[in-house]
Amino acid sequence: MKFPKDFYFGGATAAYQVEGATHEDGRGPILWDPFLEKQGTFSPDPACNFYHEYPEDLRLSKQFGLNAIRVSIAWSRIFPTGSGKVEPRGVAFYHRLFAECKKDGVEPFVTLHHFDSPLPINESGDWLNTENIDKFVDYAKFCFKEFPEIHYWITINEPTSMAVQQWTTGTFPPGEKYNFHKTFQSEHNENIAHARVVNAYKEMKLPGEIGIVHALQTVYPFEEGNAADIHAAKKQDTLDNYLFLDGTLAGRYSDEVLDLMNEILDANKQAPITITEADEKVLAQAAAQLDFVGVNYYFSKFVKAYDGPSETVHNGTGKKGSSITRLRGIGEEQVRPGIPTTDWDWPIYPKGMYDQLMRIKNNYPLVKKMYVTENGIGLKESLPEDGSIIDDQKRIEYVALHLKAIQEAMADGTNVCGYFMWSLQDMFSWTNGYSKRYGLFFVDFKTQKRYPKKSAYWFKKLTSTHEIPSTDAVDQVSSR
Ligand code: BGP
């Protein structure tokens, strides 16, 4: 089976993870700056210095046949404090970046918010404060007017990661744990922020398209057929996926998802969240006008019934087997025997990709088209001293299996229009620093030199044939 002619094959990035230059050109601080400084384990500078190296990354994209790139605009480069005065140097940078994309024939898909709320926005409650939603809408409208060269807009990247990691697992700033009330309220508010931006975009009658990107972690019961595990999996799915899918793709929350959310809140003796009638209208209007949904898929979860206290341990170092997630009123994650995991304990389960795409097709008929906006595997890699190529065979195999799952979903009727590798080049990872590498292009962070990995050559075959190459189909032997 071939991918269609107009299919996008891209690399994905995010401003804070690639740009570096956090003190340049009037950029305002964001929530991560003081958080990482206090943590003291790694710094967002230099990342892969995309702020200056972007022409090289786009040149490589072109050379390896990629016809799209995901980038995000750093809100605080445009509005250093989140609102008010515009920083023209930030605006000028993104014009330069987009012009370079066009020059190289690499279509930019541009995200407005990729985990990087400006510091004053974060300090005033982040997504929990509805005044910040007004500021987000103003920033979005500014970008829509300022950057007519952009055809594909994404409102928010992975609202689930933001909400769950800010308020449940505490790995994102401010690092609060097990506050399910704040998690769900923040999830709902992100749905509203997204919906208001979609509605504003459509009111402006612009010729482009607008979508959202969700991190979808397919959740299965640990033991098939076990009623308690099935219910636990449903609750985990509510926290991770279901509330977002209903809110953004159906435009209304089903009774089932509301009941499951309230069950979790009750079990934790936490207050219900606020959803107004006005909110419901905004969600319904946006879902009907949404152009596409982006699916980020890396792994699935297997969940067991559990009724103890909440406990989470984040594996941020690649020490296999060190992560723990058990949540009161939800369940406990445990990998089914026989399913391989990465060093960071992410189960490798391509069927989860197929099932998630099919779920959207079957349950959310308003959805017009989908893109796989992130997929890839983090590995520990270093530059071989003998000058040979970085042999990331594991990545090639991972991607091939997931592309196959996408093709199967396409054969079964899903309208998938593009695939973005996470990531284009090696970069900084929010909670794992610099040792978890995902790129098609290896980055030597000291010299900022790029080296195509074996997977880049394999990906080039894919982009030129539109067929999934065999996993040993790479003739190229040296990247230097
Ligand atoms: C997604 C994010 C990305 C990226 C990726 C890999 O959730 O959108 O920003 O970080 O996951 O995750 P990690 O860096 O934690 O391995």
Side-chain angles (χ1 to χ4, degrees), residues 14 17 70 114-115 157-158 161 215 296 298 346 374 422 428-432 436 438:
Q17 294 181 268
R70 264 192 78 200
H114 195 124
F115 304 162
N157 177 73
E158 298 193 353
S161 305
N296 291 356
Y298 293 88
W346 291 10
E374 284 182 34
W422 186 269
F428 149 77
S429 159
W430 310 94
T431 60
N432 312 284
K436 192 179 187 186
Y438 281 93

Side-chain angles (χ1 to χ4, degrees), residues 448-461:
Q448 290 296 339
K449 214 175 159 284
R450 273 68 170 151
Y451 301 87
K453 301 178 191 172
K454 192 171 157 194
S455 58
Y457 291 94
W458 182 86
F459 206 76
K460 189 175 181 180
K461 265 213 150 102

Side-chain angles (χ1 to χ4, degrees), residues 191-264:
N191 281 347
I192 294 296
H194 150 79
R196 285 189 50 198
V197 168
V198 170
N199 294 341
Y201 184 76
K202 291 298 173 184
E203 263 162 39
M204 291 167 82
K205 305 229 174 308
L206 295 162
E209 300 182 20
I210 191 156
I212 185 163
V213 163
H214 286 303
L216 296 173
Q217 305 147 16
T218 319
V219 188
Y220 301 93
F222 178 77
E223 193 188 319
E224 278 171 303
N226 176 319
D229 287 3
I230 292 171
H231 191 61
K234 279 226 154 209
K235 287 190 283 182
Q236 183 74 47
D237 182 62
T238 297
L239 183 76
D240 292 338
N241 312 307
Y242 199 179
L243 199 82
F244 284 117
L245 291 174
D246 269 10
T248 59
L249 307 189
R252 63 174 293 276
Y253 298 123
S254 60
D255 292 342
E256 183 184 53
V257 81
L258 294 174
D259 288 349
L260 288 161
M261 171 176 68
N262 288 327
E263 191 185 326
I264 297 168

Side-chain angles (χ1 to χ4, degrees), residues 176-195:
E176 202 168 315
K177 284 184 140 193
Y178 319 131
N179 192 327
F180 298 97
H181 170 80
K182 284 188 184 171
T183 306
F184 282 122
Q185 189 68 61
S186 180
E187 292 195 355
H188 170 65
N189 290 10
E190 286 188 82
N191 281 347
I192 294 296
H194 150 79

Side-chain angles (χ1 to χ4, degrees), residues 334-384:
Q334 252 184 52
V335 185
R336 274 191 203 151
I339 292 175
T341 56
T342 70
D343 285 342
W344 284 265
D345 299 323
W346 291 10
I348 302 173
Y349 199 63
K351 183 177 180 297
M353 169 79 92
Y354 172 87
D355 286 345
Q356 202 61 257
L357 295 172
M358 294 306 291
R359 172 192 195 175
I360 295 177
K361 176 195 168 285
N362 293 331
N363 298 1
Y364 299 97
L366 289 176
V367 171
K368 300 177 185 80
K369 57 179 176 175
M370 302 182 223
Y371 293 91
V372 171
T373 36
E374 284 182 34
N375 175 240
I377 183 168
L379 299 171
K380 296 168 188 162
E381 293 167 321
S382 54
L383 212 49

